Amino acid sequence: MQSANYFLGYCDSGGYHGCIFRGFSQTLFMMASRLMVMLMSFDRFIALRYPFKYQHLMSKNRVIGAVVGLGLYAIFVSSLPLMDVNSYGFQSWCDFHWNDRTTGGRFFVLYFVFEGFACIVVILFCNISAIYELLSMKKIHPAESASRPDKDQIKFIVMMVAISVVYIVFSVPLLIRLFCNQLGINLSKQKDFVGIRLNIVNNMMNAHLFLFIQLFFHPKLHKMLRRCCGKEVEDVSDPQNTRSTTA
């Protein structure tokens, strides 16, 4: 148990090295989470804004390259405190030092805050643009929109709104607390703890929220719910039904 706690990074049992490991892991997953949300938003924006160029712009190799590149970038930035650009250590929790006043330490904190807000701007722009494109398609081509299942359009809108709102609501408080600590204004450990906790929830929810929305709109789930509610409808595509009809 002590070995597991050490490698998981609990400060009390892992000591100095465990605290560093925990701070590095938290920063890495925090950055990777918001970068992946940004990439998903950009992917949906390209799919709706440039549908005829989507297969070329977002090919499988390019997407894999983007994921690997963003992952390596997150690892590099998270490793900077290990290179004496800021530092990981125990404050009230294990993290990089929010109020580091050295040139490198201040650069790291402000860069982290700037990147966080930049990701939010990109996510908002892509998702609002994608929703606008969906609504415009419905107004300009009502016949084509009517032929498509409304469920697909609703799924896109729900997914974009939910992921954006959850990400922004749960990540902005931490960015604000980082900025306040760096400038030495409105200092409050209680508010800092709230920001940390919200961000941890955000990191855990992003991927699961995406999968939950996909599952919620899955045809098999709807069929199961209709069956449970006694509203099962005969499947006209069933070969047996087709043969009996033609006979």
Side-chain angles (χ1 to χ4, degrees), residues 34-35 37-45 114-130 164 167-168:
R34 67 193 187 193
L35 290 172
V37 172
M38 183 181 69
L39 181 61
M40 288 191 297
S41 300
F42 183 73
D43 175 80
R44 291 190 295 272
F45 168 74
F114 170 79
E115 188 209 59
F117 280 113
C119 286
I120 289 175
V121 171
V122 174
I123 290 169
L124 282 175
F125 171 78
C126 290
N127 288 343
I128 292 174
S129 298
S164 298
Y167 174 77
I168 294 170

Side-chain angles (χ1 to χ4, degrees), residues 23-244:
F24 169 79
S25 300
Q26 178 174 292
T27 303
L28 173 61
F29 288 117
M30 190 188 309
M31 291 195 64
S33 175
R34 67 193 187 193
L35 290 172
M36 290 304 108
V37 172
M38 183 181 69
L39 181 61
M40 288 191 297
S41 300
F42 183 73
D43 175 80
R44 291 190 295 272
F45 168 74
I46 294 296
L48 290 169
R49 186 67 178 84
Y50 305 101
F52 299 108
K53 297 181 179 179
Y54 176 78
Q55 294 297 332
H56 172 68
L57 295 175
M58 302 298 292
S59 65
K60 182 179 178 179
N61 291 336
R62 288 191 176 187
V63 172
I64 293 175
V67 171
V68 172
L70 291 176
L72 293 175
Y73 167 76
I75 292 174
F76 170 74
V77 175
S78 303
S79 300
L80 288 178
L82 303 176
M83 307 174 191
D84 294 330
V85 180
N86 203 299
S87 60
Y88 290 118
F90 183 75
Q91 303 171 83
S92 297
W93 56 90
C94 294
D95 200 357
F96 58 84
H97 290 276
W98 293 12
N99 56 356
D100 191 335
R101 295 295 192 273
T102 65
T103 303
R106 175 162 288 185
F107 166 80
F108 182 83
V109 175
L110 294 179
Y111 178 80
F112 192 87
V113 172
F114 170 79
E115 188 209 59
F117 280 113
C119 286
I120 289 175
V121 171
V122 174
I123 290 169
L124 282 175
F125 171 78
C126 290
N127 288 343
I128 292 174
S129 298
I131 293 173
Y132 176 79
E133 288 296 326
L134 277 174
L135 297 177
S136 298
M137 287 165 53
K138 193 169 184 179
K139 290 180 180 179
I140 297 174
H141 305 289
E144 294 182 9
S145 299
S147 64
R148 295 181 179 180
D150 289 338
K151 184 175 66 176
D152 290 341
Q153 296 181 1
I154 294 173
K155 182 177 75 171
F156 273 114
I157 294 176
V158 169
M159 188 181 302
M160 285 181 272
V161 171
I163 291 177
S164 298
V165 169
V166 168
Y167 174 77
I168 294 170
V169 169
F170 284 87
S171 65
V172 165
L174 176 64
L175 297 176
I176 293 175
R177 294 312 307 163
L178 280 168
F179 191 68
C180 288
N181 275 266
Q182 183 54 222
L183 297 183
I185 58 176
N186 191 23
L187 300 177
S188 169
K189 290 293 183 184
Q190 186 61 35
K191 294 179 181 178
D192 292 346
F193 280 129
V194 171
I196 283 287
R197 289 165 182 160
L198 289 176
N199 189 72
I200 291 173
V201 173
N202 175 57
N203 290 340
M204 293 188 297
M205 285 183 62
N206 281 331
H208 297 88
L209 181 63
F210 178 78
L211 294 174
F212 173 77
I213 294 174
Q214 291 281 20
L215 176 63
F216 183 77
F217 284 93
H218 199 281
K220 289 186 178 179
L221 178 62
H222 288 184
K223 186 176 181 179
M224 187 183 303
L225 292 175
R226 288 198 302 269
R227 184 180 301 166
C228 293
C229 297
K231 296 182 179 180
E232 179 65 16
V233 181
E234 260 185 59
D235 187 359
V236 295
S237 63
D238 186 1
Q240 293 182 358
N241 290 339
T242 304
R243 285 197 297 270
S244 62

